[in-house]
Amino acid sequence: MTKTSSTSKKSQSVYAPSALHEESSSHTLAIVVNNEPGVLARIVGLFTGRGYNIDSLTVAETNHEENTSRITIVCSGTPAVIEQIKAQIKQVVSVKRVRDLTTFGPHIERELALVKVIGSGEKRIEALRIADVFRARPLDSTLESFVFEITGTTEKIDAFVALMKPLGLKDVSRTGVAAISRGLHSI
Amino acid sequence: MSTSKAKQDASKTAPKKPAQMSGAEIIIKALIDQGVEVIFGYPGGAVLPIYDEIFKNTDKIKHVLVRQEGGAVHAAEGYARSTGKVGCALVTSGPGATNAVTGLTDALLDSIPLVCLCGQVPTFLIGTDAFQEADTTGITRPCTKHNYLAQSAEALADTVHEAFHVARTGRPGPVVIDIPKDIQFAKATYHAPKPQAAQNYQPKTTPDAAAIEAAVELMANAKRPVFYTGGGVINAGPEASALLRELVRETGFPITSTLMGLGAYPATDKQWLGMLGMHGTFEANWAMHDCDVMINIGARFDDRVTGRTDKFSPDSHKIHVDIDASSINKNIRVDIPIVADAAQALRAMLEVWRARKYKADKSAMESWWNQINKWRTKNCLRYTNSKTVIKPQFALEKLREYTNNDPRETYITTEVGQHQMWAAQFLEFNEPNRWMTSGGLGTMGYGLPAAIGTQMAHPGALVIDVAGDASIMMNIQEISTAVQYKLPVKIFIMNNHWMGMVRQWQELLHGERYSNSYTESLPDFVKLAEAFGGIGLRAEKPDDLDKVIAEMLKTDRVTIADICVEQTENCFPMIPSGKAHNEMILSPDADKFDKSLV
């Protein structure tokens, strides 16, 4: 059982907030839901209603025969909050399965981004050179612009986008994280 | 002739086409198949086809016409809470549905099984801001356990059956079905209910055996144990209450309960400590604070129960049985979590306790009970009575005396505020399902419609709404419903002209600045009752009480007893702001209340 000292600050509410001080961490949740109207709103509403944070969200139908969709949510919180989030999601009637990939074991996370860079001369060449280093693919090109497609972890895309900024970054569209466990296990 | 015979034969052998029914017919048939006997509702444009079917089926299903949709949902809650069945409400689109929202939220927080059918504008008008259109599934998503927008008449029967299954299984709760008007008219085939096991939604109800064994072992070695039980025991049915009584008696442990759990264990029993929490008893809260093993069955560590969470029962090992996994470790970390139905967990605990021939530590229990009895000598509910003014506590003691002597079963509902806490403290509940109150949401205006729902379920019983003068005004229109259906509901108004609990907090916590908590123009409740076609009585002095209560219990119509009580009485004990269980303030020490805390 975790026991911590109370906060010294006097509370303004009737009951002082819980004084648990724990480190916040990021977790990737894979959620299989019935693909029915409003199901995404149920999950998202649960996060807003209870004050949880969503860092990234991806959703699409993944099994047409079973009529199920897979939602991948990256959220952050203390271990207690993460446990609550999972428990709350599990009790939504439309949810079939929830798996915390972060605690489940090794897993892969990928994000795809489309990045538009506008520029000319040396900057344009530099953008193409960096794109090559990052294995980003030009999908569209004019004499003054590129649209790159880049796939990778969130950190890799963050790094690529940061490098493109001084080179004429204009527009970014990101998919959010899709994640799956390594090896034989499925959720 | 031969050809016509051949035709006849053909019609005999051809596969029989299932009978086609309208969506509205399917709904009513499904309700009947789900065992619905009473439905509380209010008609409107978008539900007229369903009302048409009700008109044709008055012999099978009784409809109670309320005066506002909020009343329908609270009435269904009272019906559900007092019977253990699923309550049913029917409202129209737009304002009908939005008026139902408070009741739905109330049922969600107090885990009351409900199915609320809402009319909706026709499918082809959805999204056009049509007359009386509201995004009902959107609005009710966070305040229901689950909700549906009916997509086709063909799926309607299965949807209704599933809604009842979802409402009653697992942690019970409200379910909304939003039904566009064109689907109520469309023809389709009816499907009978599927067996429970064939439903998609299958919540976990059986406890983990190892966890039960660990819990019971902890109990057997406890020196200062306490049972802390809640509404989950009531929801698990009368069997859960019976098992709880067996377990509590065999262990010899003390027991306290939340507001929602009152009645699961008899309040007249010697092991009963009274309710716990903000206005709970001294002995219950101190036992919670000082215990070494806490056995929580079907309660959810609500903030009104725990007080300051970091000082909550600091030295105890905690066992938590809850059917809702998300209630475990939400507010308070526990040592042994058990996700299960309360009845199943209690049965498993009893089996282990008996099989292993456990006995509670006799000497430890003796000193624990000595300690508890010392706390009891505080007599924390005592108050200074008066010969000239009716003390609210005295009025309730009188009410208790009269209801105890009444041969009928007594059901109590309440509104929300001081009167609710006094009712919980001073009335005694010895059976489950006899106490209907709005615990989680704290909905003023709950009590009267809930009493109507309760009386519909128990026509011969004595049903009393213990009310405050402010709360009763929130759904006063429902007296008219009680009159229409000849429901002899008693409304016991503890009239102090104030929003008593607001006034109390303003006195104790807001520098006695009584902002908008006094009602300067209350109606004459006696004349009001008469205007509605009921009976009005009034008690102004303590000596009037006997006569008024005796008269109230005798009436065969809805009756208001206007009890003019002490205006500035405060409800004690009270755990003040930001304090722990062992820092509660009792009535004689009211002046010690640290008003600088907020």
Side-chain angles (χ1 to χ4, degrees):
Chain A
M1 226 161 60
T2 317
K3 277 171 193 155
T4 49
S5 61
S6 67
T7 46
S8 57
K9 198 172 160 252
K10 197 180 269 182
S11 165
Q12 290 296 302
S13 100
V14 174
Y15 290 127
S18 166
L20 290 172
H21 298 297
E22 288 178 318
E23 285 294 312
S24 202
S25 63
S26 174
H27 283 244
T28 305
L29 310 182
I31 308 160
V32 177
V33 298
N34 293 325
N35 185 16
E36 60 196 25
V39 64
L40 182 60
R42 277 182 217 287
I43 304 295
V44 174
L46 195 151
F47 276 77
T48 53
R50 292 184 183 266
Y52 307 140
N53 295 316
I54 297 183
D55 299 328
S56 159
L57 174 108
T58 317
V59 58
E61 186 182 72
T62 49
N63 189 327
H64 187 71
E65 288 71 40
E66 285 178 17
N67 193 31
T68 54
S69 294
R70 180 163 167 144
I71 300 174
T72 308
I73 289 183
V74 181
C75 54
S76 49
T78 61
V81 166
I82 298 290
E83 283 311 308
Q84 253 304 294
I85 290 175
K86 285 187 272 183
Q88 292 290 349
I89 293 172
K90 267 183 204 161
Q91 69 154 12
V92 173
V93 173
S94 316
V95 169
K96 292 175 95 83
R97 291 186 293 283
V98 182
R99 180 59 49 87
D100 183 345
L101 292 173
T102 306
T103 58
F104 182 61
H107 69 283
I108 305 156
E109 293 187 9
R110 284 295 178 271
E111 207 179 329
L112 184 143
L114 301 176
V115 181
K116 182 174 285 184
V117 183
I118 296 177
S120 56
E122 195 50 42
K123 283 187 173 177
R124 183 170 154 79
I125 294 162
E126 185 59 19
L128 198 60
R129 204 175 290 143
I130 289 172
D132 193 43
V133 171
F134 277 76
R135 293 188 196 164
R137 217 154 51 95
L139 292 184
D140 175 68
S141 172
T142 67
L143 291 176
E144 286 150 68
S145 72
F146 284 120
V147 174
F148 294 113
E149 175 197 314
I150 176 167
T151 315
T153 60
T154 301
E155 294 74 26
K156 178 182 167 186
I157 293 171
D158 286 346
F160 181 72
V161 169
L163 284 171
M164 286 299 132
K165 241 177 212 158
L167 302 176
L169 179 77
K170 208 66 190 167
D171 224 351
V172 184
S173 172
R174 295 171 72 151
T175 57
V177 171
I180 203 158
S181 59
R182 286 184 187 271
L184 302 176
H185 298 285
S186 67
I187 77 157
Chain B
M1 202 173 152
S2 65
T3 50
S4 77
K5 189 154 189 273
K7 259 188 199 165
Q8 268 176 14
D9 286 347
S11 73
K12 264 183 203 160
T13 50
K16 210 174 161 193
K17 247 189 161 175
Q20 294 281 299
M21 296 166 120
S22 74
E25 275 179 276
I26 288 172
I27 289 163
I28 296 300
K29 183 154 172 51
L31 294 184
I32 293 166
D33 282 358
Q34 286 293 339
V36 175
E37 288 163 355
V38 186
I39 182 161
F40 302 90
Y42 202 102
V47 278
L48 286 180
I50 302 176
Y51 270 88
D52 220 22
E53 289 308 315
I54 288 175
F55 189 79
K56 296 173 197 161
N57 286 286
T58 42
D59 54 327
K60 297 196 191 89
I61 205 158
K62 194 166 169 67
H63 179 269
V64 174
L65 174 65
V66 295
R67 296 299 176 266
Q68 203 254 29
E69 290 87 350
V73 183
H74 292 319
E77 283 187 274
Y79 182 92
R81 191 73 177 169
S82 66
T83 58
K85 293 198 250 177
V86 179
C88 192
L90 172 60
V91 301
T92 193
S93 65
T98 55
N99 277 342
V101 164
T102 301
L104 295 169
T105 314
D106 192 277
L108 182 73
L109 279 173
D110 285 346
S111 313
I112 311 291
L114 281 191
V115 170
C116 180
L117 306 170
C118 303
Q120 181 56 279
V121 300
T123 314
F124 53 85
L125 282 181
I126 287 178
T128 66
D129 296 329
F131 178 63
Q132 293 195 328
E133 181 187 357
D135 175 11
T136 302
T137 45
I139 290 168
T140 60
R141 200 172 289 126
C143 66
T144 53
K145 184 175 173 187
H146 197 54
N147 64 12
Y148 303 87
L149 174 61
Q151 306 282 346
S152 72
E154 200 57 47
L156 209 45
D158 287 341
T159 302
V160 176
H161 297 317
E162 188 178 286
F164 275 83
H165 169 75
V166 169
R168 81 162 75 86
T169 52
R171 178 178 177 177
V175 178
V176 158
I177 313 176
D178 199 25
I179 312 158
K181 196 173 180 182
D182 56 326
I183 289 173
Q184 299 171 32
F185 279 124
K187 298 277 188 196
T189 46
Y190 178 73
H191 307 278
K194 284 191 273 187
Q196 191 111 321
Q199 296 283 356
N200 284 328
Y201 175 69
Q202 295 293 347
K204 182 178 185 299
T205 55
T206 42
D208 176 55
I212 291 281
E213 282 171 23
V216 178
E217 195 182 333
L218 196 58
M219 285 160 64
N221 293 318
K223 309 283 180 217
R224 301 183 309 278
V226 66
F227 277 100
Y228 149 49
T229 65
V233 180
I234 311 276
N235 274 335
E239 194 199 356
S241 296
L243 289 164
L244 175 69
R245 289 162 193 217
E246 278 185 58
L247 184 63
V248 172
R249 279 170 194 152
E250 280 192 34
T251 55
F253 296 172
I255 173 168
T256 178
S257 141
T258 66
L259 183 73
M260 296 309 293
L262 297 178
Y265 194 84
T268 45
D269 189 89
K270 61 181 191 328
Q271 281 168 262
W272 172 249
L273 303 182
M275 180 177 77
L276 83 164
M278 187 177 251
H279 294 288
T281 66
F282 189 77
E283 50 271 33
N285 284 332
W286 272 81
M288 287 288 282
H289 185 270
D290 282 9
C291 69
D292 71 340
V293 172
M294 179 186 296
I295 310 126
N296 171 349
I297 316 276
R300 59 182 175 89
F301 294 110
D302 174 83
D303 59 271
R304 286 296 192 265
V305 156
T306 59
R308 191 181 175 124
T309 49
D310 59 346
K311 289 184 177 173
F312 174 72
S313 193
D315 302 319
S316 64
H317 284 84
K318 298 175 184 74
I319 300 161
H320 187 185
V321 175
D322 206 304
I323 198 158
D324 170 15
S326 68
S327 283
I328 292 175
N329 289 330
K330 180 173 64 185
N331 301 335
I332 297 289
R333 301 278 180 97
V334 298
D335 302 273
I336 304 182
I338 300 169
V339 179
D341 171 74
Q344 293 195 32
L346 285 163
R347 190 182 303 108
M349 283 175 160
L350 261 173
E351 277 165 10
V352 173
W353 182 270
R354 284 169 183 165
R356 297 201 179 171
K357 300 195 168 51
Y358 279 136
K359 291 269 178 302
D361 181 334
K362 209 177 163 195
S363 70
M365 289 304 292
E366 211 175 282
S367 65
W368 181 225
W369 274 109
N370 280 340
Q371 176 61 65
I372 288 169
N373 288 331
K374 253 181 236 161
W375 289 327
R376 278 174 167 166
T377 58
K378 280 269 181 186
N379 195 10
C380 67
L381 295 180
R382 77 176 180 279
Y383 60 93
T384 316
N385 210 349
S386 158
K387 284 205 161 66
T388 50
V389 190
I390 301 174
K391 290 286 181 170
Q393 301 95 326
F394 180 63
L396 285 168
E397 283 184 328
K398 277 282 169 197
L399 183 67
R400 179 178 74 203
E401 182 188 321
Y402 276 83
T403 53
N404 280 350
N405 292 328
D406 197 282
R408 291 169 288 183
E409 287 283 354
T410 304
Y411 292 81
I412 303 287
T413 71
T414 73
E415 311 289 336
V416 169
Q418 283 183 324
H419 69 272
Q420 177 191 29
M421 292 298 112
W422 279 317
Q425 291 172 344
F426 286 88
L427 301 179
E428 286 163 349
F429 301 95
N430 292 317
E431 294 299 328
N433 305 101
R434 301 292 190 277
W435 164 247
M436 275 59 65
T437 194
S438 171
L441 193 63
T443 311
M444 293 168 75
Y446 166 90
L448 174 56
I452 288 171
T454 305
Q455 188 85 72
M456 278 304 295
H458 310 277
L462 177 60
V463 181
I464 303 169
D465 171 26
V466 175
D469 53 274
S471 277
I472 193 65
M473 293 299 288
M474 286 226 181
N475 267 324
I476 193 81
Q477 76 286 350
E478 298 305 332
I479 296 180
S480 178
T481 308
V483 170
Q484 178 171 341
Y485 296 91
K486 300 189 170 55
L487 302 172
V489 167
K490 323 297 182 196
I491 306 163
F492 194 76
I493 303 178
M494 312 256 267
N495 185 348
N496 62 4
H497 271 259
W498 289 86
M499 291 157 215
M501 194 60 92
V502 174
R503 198 209 67 82
Q504 177 168 344
W505 280 51
Q506 287 173 335
E507 179 192 331
L508 299 175
L509 304 165
H510 291 272
E512 298 177 56
R513 293 179 296 277
Y514 299 115
S515 177
N516 293 283
S517 52
Y518 184 75
T519 316
E520 290 189 21
S521 61
L522 278 177
D524 178 331
F525 284 111
V526 172
K527 284 186 187 157
L528 183 85
E530 287 163 359
F532 272 109
I535 294 165
L537 307 165
R538 180 171 292 128
E540 287 172 314
K541 300 184 300 298
D543 290 344
D544 300 342
L545 274 175
D546 283 287
K547 195 167 155 269
V548 165
I549 296 173
E551 181 67 26
M552 175 183 90
L553 297 197
K554 263 189 256 161
T555 60
D556 59 350
R557 267 183 291 161
V558 59
T559 303
I560 290 183
D562 183 19
I563 312 296
C564 307
V565 297
E566 170 78 88
Q567 292 208 346
T568 54
E569 189 73 13
N570 283 335
C571 182
F572 285 109
M574 183 175 179
I575 301 178
S577 132
K579 296 280 183 175
H581 275 167
N582 59 346
E583 297 173 284
M584 65 190 314
I585 303 274
L586 301 182
S587 155
D589 311 319
D591 53 332
K592 289 187 193 150
F593 208 99
D594 181 0
K595 295 182 180 179
S596 67
L597 273 165
V598 164

